Amino acid sequence: MTYKILAKRNLAHKMTMFEVDAPEIAAKAKPGQFLIVIARTGSERIPLTICDFDAQKGTVTFAFHEVGKSTKELATFAEGDVLLNVTGPLGNPSEIGCFGRVLCVGGGIMVAPLLLQVKAMKAAGNEVTTVLGCRSGEFLFMKKEAMALSDEVLVASDDGTAGETGMDFLRDLLACKMFDRCVVMGPVLMMRSVCEITRPFNIPTVVTLTPIMIDGMGMCGVCRVTVNGKMLFGCVDGPEFDGHQTNFDELVKRQRTMLPEERLSSIMWESGGGCKCERK
Ligand SMILES: Cc1cc2nc3c(=O)[nH]c(=O)nc-3n(C[C@H](O)[C@H](O)[C@H](O)COP(=O)(O)OP(=O)(O)OC[C@H]3O[C@@H](n4cnc5c(N)ncnc54)[C@H](O)[C@@H]3O)c2cc1C
Ligand code: FES
């Protein structure tokens, strides 16, 4: 099995999308599922959400934000290079059905996989409003694709340089338009804010949780999350969960467990030495 990178696309600063040759994964992939990517011998396992797949071409697409050593290493790969391993599809597929009017909210790099859900929700007969969230206008990407797939596209940026400022405008939107379901994919704090906005409107809200993972197959227990008071595994019980029942505080705390090691590893990678794997 070779996992050749067939296309590399720069989405925004430090945000990259790869289309990879992986026919066996493409044949089974569904929206909402994820992959575990290992760049080369000695590299870490990186969970990344499927952004698209083409069973006929035998390809899967994923996008990543360079936040630490492993994603920075992945970004050094070019079109034509081969990844050591891509495992998937992992996790449960999204629940796609005809709900009526669906609000899909994406933030940061997770806008890319969100669009696969937008496509599936639209194909299932829903009216879809898509919100593209970004730090600032320069980090806004795939707006054209979102417009082609959705009935309505709204933009929000943290600093107001593109569209609305922050996600608070959603309160006004929900006050004048009824939605039957909300799907949120993005940074944990953003997902938590959106859940607090949809809660008083009783809109079922599905979030994609991204706890630290190792195997991604239910064996290590690292990806524990608490939803509705129950301890669940992000990889095999999720990655999608009821946002109104999710313990986000615990998730944030658990995500920070390895912060000193992650920082050190990133600094060592930047300085060109000390990591177990060879640089290209
Ligand atoms: C099911 C799942 C799907 C994901 N899908 C995507 C995706 O489509 N695109 C993408 O860019 N990232 C995605 N992530 C997050 C991605 O796996 C991490 O950003 C990556 O593993 C970080 O590795 P690193 O060595 O580069 O950075 P690290 O050094 O490991 O981390 C650097 C910083 O990122 C934070 N971080 C680490 N792991 C995560 C995480 N799991 N979620 C959020 N923040 C984290 C750390 O707290 C730290 O601040 C997903 C995670 C999961 C669990
Ligand atoms: S990542 Fe190991 S159990 Fe989920």
Side-chain angles (χ1 to χ4, degrees), residues 34 44-51 62-72 109-110 113 188 208-213 234 239 255-256 259 262-263 265-266:
F34 67 96
E44 234 184 355
R45 302 162 68 85
I46 319 174
L48 296 169
T49 312
I50 294 172
C51 294
F62 56 85
F64 58 95
H65 187 185
E66 290 172 52
V67 291
K69 186 243 155 187
S70 299
T71 43
K72 284 176 192 171
I109 191 67
M110 296 307 275
V188 177
T208 292
L209 300 187
T210 52
I212 293 176
M213 289 187 179
Q255 270 190 340
R256 290 183 181 153
L259 214 51
E262 287 164 357
R263 288 216 175 116
S265 159
S266 183

Side-chain angles (χ1 to χ4, degrees), residues 31 94-100 102 104 115-128 149 181-183 206 240:
S94 310
E95 190 190 341
I96 304 292
C98 190
F99 300 104
V102 179
C104 293
L115 294 188
L116 183 57
Q117 296 227 21
V118 169
K119 189 166 146 186
M121 286 292 189
K122 189 70 194 140
N126 297 287
E127 181 186 324
V128 182
L149 296 169
R181 194 173 181 87
C182 178
V183 175
V206 179
E240 295 186 0

Side-chain angles (χ1 to χ4, degrees), residues 54-239:
D54 186 326
Q56 285 199 327
K57 262 170 79 186
T59 60
V60 282
T61 304
F62 56 85
F64 58 95
H65 187 185
E66 290 172 52
V67 291
K69 186 243 155 187
S70 299
T71 43
K72 284 176 192 171
E73 180 185 29
L74 195 56
T76 65
F77 280 65
E79 221 167 85
D81 285 348
V82 172
L83 297 165
L84 179 70
N85 188 266
V86 181
T87 304
L90 299 169
N92 299 295
S94 310
E95 190 190 341
I96 304 292
C98 190
F99 300 104
R101 199 180 272 157
V102 179
L103 178 65
C104 293
V105 185
I109 191 67
M110 296 307 275
V111 160
L114 178 87
L115 294 188
L116 183 57
Q117 296 227 21
V118 169
K119 189 166 146 186
M121 286 292 189
K122 189 70 194 140
N126 297 287
E127 181 186 324
V128 182
T129 295
T130 303
V131 178
L132 306 177
C134 53
R135 233 188 302 163
S136 65
E138 62 186 307
F139 293 99
L140 176 65
F141 59 84
M142 296 184 91
K143 190 176 171 191
K144 259 194 205 159
E145 286 93 331
M147 288 172 75
L149 296 169
S150 325
D151 294 285
E152 181 184 27
V153 174
L154 304 166
V155 172
S157 55
D158 295 344
D159 63 3
T161 52
E164 306 285 342
T165 305
M167 289 289 170
D168 283 350
F169 79 99
L170 288 176
R171 266 192 203 94
D172 298 334
L173 177 73
L174 300 186
C176 57
K177 207 170 180 180
M178 282 284 299
F179 285 90
D180 302 290
R181 194 173 181 87
C182 178
V183 175
V184 198
M185 295 175 87
V188 177
L189 298 181
M190 184 215 93
M191 292 195 290
R192 177 164 68 182
S193 312
V194 174
C195 288
E196 287 319 309
I197 293 172
T198 58
R199 192 191 297 276
F201 294 93
N202 290 320
I203 302 168
T205 302
V206 179
V207 292
T208 292
L209 300 187
T210 52
I212 293 176
M213 289 187 179
I214 298 180
D215 60 288
M217 294 170 206
M219 290 181 282
C220 68
V222 164
C223 64
R224 287 197 307 274
V225 291
T226 303
V227 181
N228 204 8
K230 275 197 211 135
M231 195 265 282
L232 298 170
F233 286 177
C235 62
V236 288
D237 298 312

